[in-house]
Amino acid sequence: PVAATLLRSARERAGLSQRELARRAGTAQSVVSRIEGGLTDPSTGTLLALLEAGGRNRPRSRGQQESGY
């Protein structure tokens, strides 16, 4: 699953354990484990929170300028 691959690679690039990523995102380590293991698909909000907690910025939508306007 795409979410599993995206989350695992972002977490590993940030040098974080599943436990630390979960702590930063305000969720349980088991949630991170289930997502990375492909056992569950996260909601958009959960995935964004986890990616941001790992130091990855929210992707900009098409047409959105660098300044966010």
Side-chain angles (χ1 to χ4, degrees):
V2 175
T5 302
L6 181 64
L7 181 58
R8 177 172 283 148
S9 64
R11 180 179 61 78
E12 289 176 347
R13 274 195 311 274
L16 299 174
S17 66
Q18 288 182 349
R19 183 180 307 262
E20 178 60 17
L21 178 63
R23 187 192 68 75
R24 290 182 182 194
T27 193
Q29 180 271 331
S30 61
V31 171
V32 176
S33 177
R34 287 194 314 265
I35 294 168
E36 287 188 359
L39 301 176
T40 188
D41 288 322
S43 68
T44 301
T46 298
L47 182 58
L48 288 174
L50 288 165
L51 291 173
E52 288 176 353
R56 185 171 178 146
N57 295 327
R58 275 183 195 232
R60 290 188 304 273
S61 62
R62 289 184 186 178
Q64 190 177 18
Q65 296 177 2
E66 188 71 28
S67 64
Y69 294 105

